């Protein structure tokens, strides 16, 4: 029997489609690529009108749908139910569709990872009984459930805290094995399947969260607070709570007798010790913030809420077991991991216990300085901690600076080392984890002077210390001024180089030094100006990252379904905050001009994509509203950037559809700049007008041949037109302009295959994999070339590795199908049949034919 045709991954050069089957095609479905998207959009439009079209109805109209199409329709119904506030737990979904249980469990698990299901089961109310518990009062609520003060009648009505959540939610039960006086213990877990609920039982310790405590303390300036103020707040909140009896314990008495700074330092010690216990058990908390710290009624701090806790996450992971966090309270590497997971990219850098140390540093900084350091919005003008609260010692400020280092390697090695330095600071001892400043050492020596014996020698030694301190302070101020100016120069250089995160760190260090000498207003003003520039640059980097994703993934075919909805929300949010990105002042230098051009191009890219996807996703009565909304945004883009041919083309087409006058804003204008030609070319490319798009890209390149994207998209147009020689040339130029991009080599390999140059294609696939080892399409195609060249062992090795680099089911089906062919070529019929069955189960039509043939063999 002749071998079946290999299922080559003829990926769209934009890297969105990496399989030979056209997207959305299914046996028994209408021909073409868009039928499923039309059905999904029609379902959404019907639900918006109150007409509840279910997935079963659509599936019934198309007998023989493949598994992927069925799962997509089911997921669309789940999303629509959730958006309308309707309960639909995972157990019910799996009960209705047992045939696709495995696929749905994976999909809904990923959905919970990125957007937890809310309200999937009715939660109980105060006054109800839940199993053996009577719910006395509600203590709090959040996305993951509600927390109650409850009593257990079977145990003498002892008060307990009951966290109730739906059975779709997860809470890390590793908390049960953590034994530490400053971690809230977990007594037991209870399940209530008849109500689709589960509950975690913990002791009731009274008190209030640190967030609430700081909120009540907010009217008192941080420098005027005392430790006893914390106790007074606890008493006031306790009296207003469900159990008003205050406790008299050593912790409370200790807080009443110390300064506010020492009280917060002590709280930091206890929390660092608690984190060290969790880290020792392999858990990263991932959500350290004031609302997750309880100050119990006896004054002791308790670390709460381990529902986001996870093992350390390694660099290169694509789908970690669990990941979450609160905006404004995440370390830089934690934020980067969240962004990577959201767009399906590998985790760029490890996320480990040091992320918790960063978050603890934010918590202590807010508690000591009264700033909203972790509130989610960046400070446009950084005020050093010691300027916010002069009572904070230099050593303590340095400890927190190390906690908040941008690079994890610059932070404390572990929570125990941080706790030790905080203890030494509290005891006026020299620090181990940060350099000891001469002024700070003398201050600590002065604090310990009361332990000296009284007498003339004590007086002499005190006077000598005071005189020495004065000399050292004067010299220190001069040194600090020089250091602040050096940080200013370094921050300028880093901004010019585009290293905005490092520039921000340099600015903050400069501002900390500037506090130490008088008449620093001019220097502080310049540092704050650079801080705003660094913040803007980091926003621009985030914008550019998303724009690059859009350019590569949706170069021709826009996203659909839930993926499109997420992209629409993201882009609209960025556009609404565009004033934070656009600088009203003219660029001050060449680097600023380049950044301004990049921001402008990225915003235009996203707006054009948003406009087309927004209209595409609308249908029925919602289509007119979508067109009007898009026209409004496009008018805003014209007002911000002036006449843009591509925007004008969109406005004309939409205005004609809505019957509105074009107006002066949408009058025809010819491309007048390379960027205009690029924008118009992209618009034509999305419309499938490849010849016209290619001409626009060429015209732009005549004036700016060094631009990467016009060369890349010219190659894409030529590839779509099957002009493989011209495509190969365009992609070669793109590679020369950006040799570190794996996508350039991957697309040139596709063009080489179109010309029959398999050796050249294989080399380019290999180079792409050197740059991005997780590029599954490149590994799949290189494996197919190896199989075709009579090297099935090499093919099998590549294809097996490709399986671990993608979660796309269609691509996985293609990989299994080609694995079956490679095993068949080696004479391993059993392995071939197993791979063919895997691919057939996913819905690969070629695999079904091969499976049937293999089964028929004797």
């Amino acid at each position: 029997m002749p071998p079946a045709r290999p299922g080559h991954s003829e990926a769209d050069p934009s890297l969105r489609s990496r399989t030979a089957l056209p997207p959305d095609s299914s046996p028994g479905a209408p021909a073409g690529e868009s039928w499923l998207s039309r059905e999904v959009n029609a379902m959404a439009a019907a639900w918006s009108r109150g007409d509840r079209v279910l997935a079963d109805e659509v599936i019934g109209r198309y007998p023989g749908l493949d598994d992927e199409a069925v799962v997509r329709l089911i997921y669309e119904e789940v999303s629509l139910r959730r958006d309308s506030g309707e309960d639909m737990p995972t157990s019910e979904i799996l009960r209705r569709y047992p045939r696709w249980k495995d696929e749905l469990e994976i999909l809904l698990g990923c959905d919970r990872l990125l957007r937890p299901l809310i309200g999937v089961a009715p939660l109980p109310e105060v006054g109800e009984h839940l199993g053996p518990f009577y719910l006395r009062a509600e203590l709090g609520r959040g996305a993951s459930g509600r927390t109650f003060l409850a009593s257990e009648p079977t145990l003498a009505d002892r008060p307990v805290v009951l966290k109730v959540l739906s059975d779709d939610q997860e809470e890390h039960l590793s908390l049960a094995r953590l034994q530490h006086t400053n971690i809230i213990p977990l007594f037991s877990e209870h399940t209530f399947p008849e109500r689709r609920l589960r509950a975690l039982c913990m002791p009731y310790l009274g008190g209030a969260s640190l967030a609430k405590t700081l909120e009540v303390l907010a009217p008192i300036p941080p420098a005027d607070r005392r430790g006893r103020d914390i106790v007074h707040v606890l008493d006031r909140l306790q009296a207003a709570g469900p159990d008003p009896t205050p406790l008299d314990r050593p912790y409370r008495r200790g807080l009443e007798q110390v300064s506010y700074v020492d009280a917060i330092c002590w709280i930091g010690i206890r929390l660092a010790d608690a984190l060290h216990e969790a880290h020792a058990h392999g858990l990263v908390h991932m959500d350290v913030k004031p609302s997750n710290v309880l100050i119990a009624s006896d004054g002791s701090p308790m670390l709460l809420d381990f529902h986001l806790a996870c093992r350390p996450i390694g660099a290169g992971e694509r789908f970690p077991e669990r990941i979450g966090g609160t905006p404004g309270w995440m370390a830089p590497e934690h934020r980067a991991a969240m962004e990577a997971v959201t767009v399906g990219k590998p985790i760029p850098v490890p996320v480990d216990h040091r992320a918790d140390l960063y978050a603890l540093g934010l918590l202590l900084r807010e508690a000591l300085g009264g700033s909203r350091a972790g509130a989610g919005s960046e400070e446009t003008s950084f005020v050093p901690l010691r300027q916010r609260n002069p009572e904070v010692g230099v050593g303590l400020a340095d400890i927190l600076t190390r906690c908040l280092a941008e690079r994890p390697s610059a932070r404390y090695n572990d929570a125990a080392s941080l706790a030790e330095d905080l203890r030494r600071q509290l005891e006026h001892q020299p620090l181990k984890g940060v350099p000891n400043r001469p002024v700070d050492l003398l201050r600590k020596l002065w604090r310990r002077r009361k332990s000296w014996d009284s007498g003339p020698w004590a007086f002499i030694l005190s006077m000598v210390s005071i005189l020495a301190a004065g000399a050292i302070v004067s010299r220190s101020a001069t040194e600090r001024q020089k250091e602040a100016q050096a940080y200013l120069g370094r921050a300028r250089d880093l901004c010019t180089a585009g290293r905005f995160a490092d520039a921000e760190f340099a600015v903050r260090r400069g501002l900390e030094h500037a506090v130490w000498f008088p008449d620093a207003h001019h220097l502080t003003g310049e540092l704050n100006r650079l801080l705003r520039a660094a913040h803007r640059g980091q926003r621009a980097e985030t914008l550019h990252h998303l724009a690059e994703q859009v350019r590569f993934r949706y170069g021709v075919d826009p996203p659909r379904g839930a993926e499109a909805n997420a992209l629409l929300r993201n882009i609209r949010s960025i556009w609404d905050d565009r004033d934070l990105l656009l600088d009203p002042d003219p660029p001050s230098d060449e680097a600023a001009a380049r950044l301004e051009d990049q921001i402008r191009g990225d915003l235009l890219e996203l707006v054009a994509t948003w406009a087309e996807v927004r209209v595409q996703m609308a249908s029925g009565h919602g289509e007119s509203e979508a067109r009007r909304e898009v026209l409004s945004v496009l008018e805003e883009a014209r007002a911000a950037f002036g006449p843009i041919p591509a925007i004008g083309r969109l406005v004309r087409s939409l205005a004609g559809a809505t019957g509105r006058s074009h107006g002066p804003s949408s009058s025809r204008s010819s491309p007048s700049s390379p960027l205009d030609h690029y924008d118009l070319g992209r618009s034509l490319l999305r419309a499938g007008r490849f010849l016209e798009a290619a001409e626009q890209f060429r015209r732009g390149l005549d004036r700016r041949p060094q631009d990467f994207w016009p060369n890349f998209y010219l190659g894409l147009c030529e590839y779509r037109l099957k002009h493989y020689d011209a495509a190969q040339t365009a992609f070669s130029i793109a590679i020369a302009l950006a040799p570190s991009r794996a996508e350039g080599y991957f697309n040139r390999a596709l063009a080489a295959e179109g010309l029959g140059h398999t050796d050249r294609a294989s080399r380019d696939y290999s180079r792409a994999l050197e740059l991005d080892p997780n590029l599954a399409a490149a590994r799949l195609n290189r494996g197919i070339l190896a199989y075709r060249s009579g090297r099935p062992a090499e093919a099998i090795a590549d294809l097996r590795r490709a399986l671990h680099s993608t979660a796309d089911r269609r691509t996985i089906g293609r990989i299994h199908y080609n694995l079956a062919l490679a095993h068949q070529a080696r004479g391993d019929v059993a392995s071939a049949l197993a791979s063919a069955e895997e691919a057939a189960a996913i819905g690969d039509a070629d695999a079904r034919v091969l499976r049937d043939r293999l089964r028929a063999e004797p």
Side-chain angles (χ1 to χ4, degrees):
M1 179 187 69
R5 175 178 58 84
H8 181 255
S9 176
E10 293 184 354
D12 179 333
S14 70
L15 289 185
R16 181 168 189 268
S17 173
R18 295 178 176 171
T19 64
L21 291 177
D24 302 338
S25 63
S26 299
E33 177 178 327
S34 60
W35 77 269
L36 183 53
S37 295
R38 287 198 301 272
E39 292 293 345
V40 166
N41 294 338
M43 284 178 66
W47 277 71
S48 68
R49 298 191 302 269
D51 183 9
R52 297 158 54 83
V53 175
L54 303 182
D56 292 340
E57 300 174 33
V58 183
I59 295 168
R61 291 201 297 269
Y62 301 110
L65 286 180
D66 67 31
D67 291 347
E68 184 172 355
V70 171
V71 170
R72 182 172 172 184
L73 290 166
I74 295 169
Y75 179 67
E76 189 65 25
E77 180 187 332
V78 172
S79 299
L80 291 169
R81 286 178 180 273
R82 178 173 53 207
D83 291 344
S84 64
E86 184 175 337
D87 300 338
M88 193 172 186
T90 299
S91 56
E92 173 63 16
I93 301 168
L94 301 181
R95 187 192 64 77
R96 280 179 54 188
Y97 302 103
R99 177 179 169 186
W100 297 280
K101 178 177 180 291
D102 293 342
E103 292 91 337
L104 289 169
E105 281 185 331
I106 293 171
L107 178 62
L108 295 174
C110 292
D111 181 73
R112 282 198 303 273
L113 182 68
L114 295 175
R115 183 177 60 175
L117 293 170
I118 298 175
V120 294
L123 294 171
E125 301 291 342
V126 172
E128 292 186 32
H129 283 86
L130 186 64
F133 303 101
Y134 174 69
L135 307 183
R136 293 169 49 190
E138 183 175 319
L139 299 177
R141 63 173 62 195
S144 60
R146 294 183 192 170
T147 304
F148 297 92
L149 171 63
S151 57
E152 278 189 283
T154 58
L155 291 175
D157 280 334
R158 74 167 178 176
V160 295
V161 171
L162 206 65
K163 182 169 184 178
V164 182
L165 49 163
S166 73
D167 59 6
D168 281 75
Q169 299 292 328
E170 298 182 11
E171 182 88 14
H172 211 297
L173 295 183
S174 297
L175 173 63
R177 71 174 188 266
L178 299 181
Q179 301 293 325
H180 193 275
T181 54
N182 297 107
I183 295 178
I184 195 82
L186 178 63
F187 284 165
S188 57
E189 180 193 23
H190 302 262
T191 58
F192 309 98
E194 72 284 355
R195 299 187 63 172
R196 307 195 308 279
L197 296 173
R198 54 197 291 263
L200 304 179
C201 179
M202 294 166 281
Y204 176 68
L205 303 174
S209 72
L210 179 59
K212 185 64 177 177
T213 303
L214 295 177
E215 180 185 331
V216 177
L217 285 172
I220 306 175
D224 295 338
R225 299 175 190 171
R226 299 293 179 265
R228 61 176 175 270
D229 293 328
I230 297 176
V231 177
H232 294 163
V233 169
L234 289 177
D235 287 344
R236 190 193 319 173
L237 295 174
Q238 184 84 6
D243 185 5
T245 306
L247 299 175
D248 182 24
R249 296 282 177 85
Y251 298 140
R252 289 170 54 88
R253 292 196 296 273
L255 288 173
E256 290 174 338
Q257 297 169 8
V258 299
S259 70
Y260 177 76
V261 170
D262 284 354
I264 297 300
C265 191
W266 174 76
I267 289 172
I269 293 169
R270 307 307 294 262
L271 294 177
D273 284 340
L275 285 173
H276 184 66
E277 169 72 11
H279 298 163
H281 284 82
L283 286 179
V284 184
H285 188 281
M286 301 291 277
D287 204 22
V288 177
K289 57 185 179 180
S291 59
N292 282 341
V293 173
L294 171 74
I295 306 299
S297 57
D298 70 352
S300 59
M302 307 292 291
L303 190 59
L304 308 173
D305 211 342
F306 277 72
H307 79 281
L308 293 182
C310 66
R311 60 172 176 78
I313 302 171
E317 290 189 39
R318 278 185 178 266
F319 305 102
E321 177 187 351
R322 55 197 291 132
I323 186 171
T326 301
W329 293 100
M330 293 186 284
E333 68 274 15
H334 188 174
R335 290 196 304 269
M338 292 284 287
E339 292 169 2
V341 169
T342 302
V343 299
K345 285 291 209 179
I347 302 298
V349 292
V351 181
D352 57 25
H353 62 281
R354 293 170 294 185
D356 283 346
L357 304 188
Y358 186 98
L360 180 56
L362 283 177
L363 180 151
L364 295 175
R365 184 174 185 271
E366 174 166 324
L368 290 166
S371 64
R372 298 297 296 161
S377 59
E378 294 167 334
E379 297 168 273
T380 57
S381 182
F382 174 75
V383 180
L385 176 59
R386 298 195 68 245
Q387 191 168 323
R388 292 179 184 274
N389 186 352
E391 296 300 312
V392 174
V394 179
L396 182 53
D398 286 344
I399 290 172
L400 298 188
T401 297
R402 185 173 182 188
C403 289
L404 297 173
E406 192 79 14
R407 296 181 298 277
S409 59
R411 299 174 205 149
Y412 282 91
N413 291 331
D414 50 54
S417 300
L418 169 59
E420 181 180 4
D421 257 3
L422 289 172
R423 282 192 180 90
R424 298 183 73 84
Q425 177 68 19
L426 197 59
E427 297 166 357
H428 312 299
Q429 298 290 335
L431 304 177
K432 290 186 175 181
V434 296
N436 287 280
R437 312 284 183 88
V439 173
D440 194 42
L441 286 175
L442 284 171
R443 183 180 180 183
K444 290 175 178 177
L445 180 65
W446 181 254
R447 290 286 183 89
R448 299 200 308 271
R449 74 189 187 281
K450 292 181 179 179
S451 63
W452 301 343
D453 293 332
S454 59
W457 287 109
F459 173 77
I460 293 171
L461 186 55
S462 297
M463 294 303 298
V464 169
S465 298
I466 293 171
L467 293 173
I472 291 174
V473 165
S474 175
R475 185 178 63 185
S476 177
T478 303
E479 292 173 353
R480 287 296 187 114
Q481 182 174 10
K482 292 179 181 178
E483 290 176 358
Q485 290 169 338
Y487 277 118
L488 173 64
R490 177 166 173 74
R492 282 200 188 104
D493 293 341
L494 290 168
C495 278
T496 301
R499 295 169 55 187
F500 299 107
D502 291 335
E504 179 184 356
F505 179 76
V507 169
R508 291 183 183 276
R509 292 293 292 168
L511 286 166
E512 291 282 4
H513 285 74
V515 175
W516 281 84
F517 58 91
D519 300 325
H521 303 298
H522 175 73
L523 180 58
T524 301
E526 184 64 16
L527 284 165
N528 275 316
R529 186 191 68 79
L530 280 176
L531 183 64
R532 290 189 290 272
H535 283 163
R536 177 171 176 262
Q538 290 178 78
R539 292 189 192 98
E541 287 176 340
T542 301
L543 168 70
H544 191 60
H545 177 75
L546 178 61
E548 295 282 87
Q549 291 292 319
V550 168
R551 290 179 178 115
F552 274 124
R553 298 180 67 185
Y554 315 126
V556 176
D557 299 317
R560 295 174 175 83
E563 182 182 7
N565 286 324
L567 184 67
L568 288 175
R569 289 192 298 270
N570 202 354
I571 293 177
R572 187 57 198 260
S573 174
I574 289 174
W575 179 250
D576 289 343
D577 290 335
R578 61 191 179 278
D579 290 342
L580 298 174
L581 287 158
L582 297 172
D583 192 346
D585 299 323
S588 57
D589 52 40
E590 185 178 347
R594 285 197 304 269
L595 180 63
E596 195 69 26
D597 287 344
Q598 175 188 299
I599 290 172
R600 180 176 182 270
D602 289 343
L603 283 173
L604 283 171
E605 180 76 38
L606 295 184
V607 165
T609 301
W610 177 87
E612 294 180 6
V613 175
R614 178 72 178 91
V615 174
Q616 168 206 293
M617 293 291 292
S619 60
H621 296 295
E623 188 171 353
S624 296
E625 180 185 348
R627 290 179 181 275
R628 285 192 294 270
E629 181 187 1
V630 168
L631 277 172
S632 175
V633 170
L634 293 178
E635 292 291 351
E636 293 173 355
R638 183 207 62 81
F641 304 122
I644 304 292
I647 297 297
R649 178 178 175 274
L650 281 171
V651 170
R652 287 192 299 275
S653 64
L654 292 169
T658 57
R660 289 176 55 177
S661 170
H662 292 182
S665 65
S666 56
S667 59
R668 292 181 181 273
S669 59
S670 299
S672 59
S673 70
L675 182 59
D676 289 343
H677 286 293
Y678 167 78
D679 289 333
L680 185 55
R682 289 284 286 112
S683 181
L684 293 166
L685 179 59
R686 288 194 185 98
R689 297 162 64 177
F690 302 122
L691 276 173
E692 297 170 75
E695 180 61 24
Q696 292 300 323
F697 292 131
R698 289 193 192 95
R699 290 184 182 181
L701 288 169
D702 285 343
R703 297 172 62 180
R704 284 185 59 87
Q706 73 272 26
D707 286 348
F708 171 82
W709 284 110
N711 280 290
F712 181 86
Y713 282 122
L714 177 59
L716 193 154
C717 292
E718 301 289 11
Y719 182 86
R720 283 300 185 99
L721 293 166
K722 298 187 178 180
H723 301 162
Y724 298 124
D725 269 323
Q728 194 171 45
T729 299
F731 288 130
S732 293
I733 295 172
I735 289 171
L737 293 170
S740 62
R741 292 183 182 273
E743 292 84 354
Y745 290 96
F746 174 80
N747 286 286
R748 189 172 71 176
L750 291 177
E753 284 202 71
L755 293 168
H757 301 162
T758 55
D759 288 344
R760 172 66 179 274
S762 183
R763 288 197 298 272
D764 274 348
Y765 286 137
S766 296
R767 178 57 180 152
L769 288 168
E770 289 175 9
L771 295 169
D772 183 359
N774 294 309
L775 191 54
R779 204 170 290 283
L780 167 58
N781 287 359
R782 189 176 71 173
I784 292 170
L785 290 179
Y787 161 72
R788 287 175 174 173
S789 302
R791 305 193 306 275
E794 293 180 29
I796 291 169
D798 259 343
L799 295 169
R800 283 176 173 167
R801 289 193 63 184
L803 281 174
H804 298 292
S805 302
T806 183
D808 181 75
R809 288 182 54 75
R810 191 178 296 274
T811 303
I812 291 172
R814 290 281 84 186
I815 294 170
H816 277 301
Y817 170 63
N818 285 283
L819 267 172
L821 295 179
H823 285 306
Q824 184 186 24
R826 296 188 73 186
D828 187 350
V829 178
S831 296
L833 180 57
S835 293
E837 288 176 339
E838 290 274 4
I842 291 173
D844 191 294
D846 291 332
R848 289 170 180 161
V849 175
L850 177 60
R851 176 199 62 192
D852 294 342
R853 288 178 180 175
L854 291 169
R855 286 176 175 175
E857 287 186 354

